[in-house]
Amino acid sequence: MSFRTSPVFSYLAQIVGRPLGDVPASLLTQAAFSIEDDIKLVNKGAEITRKLIDASIRRKAENYVLSQVAQLASNEELSADVEREISTILAKYPDIACQIPADAEHIQVYASKCWFIVLAIIERATSPADINSILLDSIAQPMSTLRHSQVAGALFNNIGIVSTATLFRYLDAVEASCRNHQGNSAQVQHHVKHAAMVLEKALLADPSVAEQMSIELSSFCLSYPWVKRAADLYRLLSSMLEKVPAEEHRPADANSSSTSSS
């Protein structure tokens, strides 16, 4: 509909040429309502157009991220600029992370090349089981100090839902990483310090971890007594185990032997 055929034009045509006092009040009211309706239509059209543009931009962003992730999975390296672009897109459209493949093989690739993709997937995970699965797949044996810092951060931030199975896998990876270096090297201290921080928070979040992992944690701490964090972890573990009846955290073979002897 053109402006000349619109109600607004017909009202204005009737008003123009008349002295203001001769214009009927009803005609002025109709004109005002018609202008208001036209403004609403214009605003509604602009809103629809804006939504269509936003949807188009989002689709292009999603296609871009998924195409780059596919290249990453094909063992292609991404430039720093591309990584920044993906990171920016995932920050603006976090739901795109739900479309990124999250099987074990892909998670291992992201963990080794673009850790922020792992974090984006964790943030959009819908259950503790999914988060633990992602964390398990991201833990490598052995780990570099950088990879360990990244994994430790993710575990630390999700410690309330981290399972003992994940903690066992993590502790095994830490010990494997330490064996790759000499004695009291800076790398060993880095691994032990980060592990002790994660495990200490796990104990405080869930005291039952002390019973379930008593042997493994004690062995780990006593293997690195010169690292203060490990010594502190051992004292915490010992104090927690003192509150538990001895038979509840005794090794299984000791229980079985005592039972058979009686």
Side-chain angles (χ1 to χ4, degrees):
M1 177 177 64
S2 68
F3 178 71
R4 286 183 171 277
T5 59
S6 70
V8 175
F9 183 80
S10 63
Y11 293 137
L12 290 177
Q14 296 178 55
I15 294 172
V16 172
R18 295 191 183 189
L20 184 59
D22 291 343
V23 179
S26 60
L27 191 59
L28 288 173
T29 302
Q30 290 175 359
F33 279 129
S34 181
I35 292 172
E36 184 179 349
D37 289 342
D38 282 1
I39 290 173
K40 288 180 180 179
L41 286 174
V42 170
N43 289 338
K44 186 175 181 180
E47 181 182 356
I48 293 173
T49 301
R50 198 160 44 244
K51 287 181 178 180
L52 290 173
I53 292 173
D54 289 345
S56 176
I57 292 173
R58 190 206 170 282
R59 280 195 301 272
K60 289 180 180 178
E62 179 178 335
N63 291 337
Y64 176 77
V65 169
L66 295 180
S67 66
Q68 295 302 319
V69 167
Q71 291 184 31
L72 193 65
S74 301
N75 294 322
E76 294 186 26
E77 297 292 335
L78 301 182
S79 68
D81 289 340
V82 171
E83 289 186 12
R84 278 194 294 270
E85 288 177 358
I86 295 175
S87 179
T88 301
I89 291 172
L90 291 177
K92 185 174 182 180
Y93 305 108
D95 57 306
I96 290 179
C98 298
Q99 308 300 322
I100 298 176
D103 56 274
E105 184 177 352
H106 280 88
I107 291 295
Q108 290 164 12
V109 172
Y110 310 149
S112 64
K113 296 183 177 181
C114 288
W115 179 256
F116 66 86
I117 295 180
V118 177
L119 295 181
I121 295 173
I122 289 175
E123 288 176 4
R124 300 300 296 180
T126 57
S127 71
D130 290 338
I131 293 175
N132 275 282
S133 177
I134 296 166
L135 290 170
L136 278 168
D137 294 335
S138 68
I139 298 172
Q141 293 196 22
M143 295 182 287
S144 66
T145 53
L146 174 59
R147 177 79 166 270
H148 187 185
S149 296
Q150 294 167 334
V151 170
L155 289 170
F156 200 85
N157 292 333
N158 294 279
I159 202 66
I161 56 174
V162 172
S163 67
T164 51
T166 302
L167 291 174
F168 274 119
R169 170 79 68 85
Y170 171 64
L171 187 56
D172 286 344
V174 171
E175 292 179 330
S177 303
C178 289
R179 287 193 294 269
N180 266 11
H181 303 283
Q182 296 292 330
N184 191 22
S185 66
Q187 292 90 341
V188 169
Q189 292 194 45
H190 179 280
H191 289 304
V192 175
K193 177 182 176 181
H194 279 70
M197 291 172 62
V198 171
L199 295 168
E200 176 182 326
K201 189 168 185 181
L203 289 174
L204 296 174
D206 182 6
S208 69
V209 172
E211 304 167 45
Q212 299 176 59
M213 300 184 68
S214 59
I215 298 173
E216 293 79 7
L217 289 177
S218 296
S219 175
F220 171 74
C221 294
L222 294 174
S223 297
Y224 308 99
W226 60 84
V227 181
K228 183 180 182 303
R229 281 280 187 178
D232 292 343
L233 178 62
Y234 185 74
R235 282 192 289 271
L236 174 62
L237 176 65
S238 299
S239 67
M240 296 179 78
L241 290 176
E242 285 175 0
K243 301 175 184 178
V244 180
E247 59 272 11
E248 291 190 22
H249 57 82
R250 187 177 298 162
D253 55 349
N255 282 331
S256 59
S257 60
S258 62
T259 304
S260 60
S261 61
S262 61

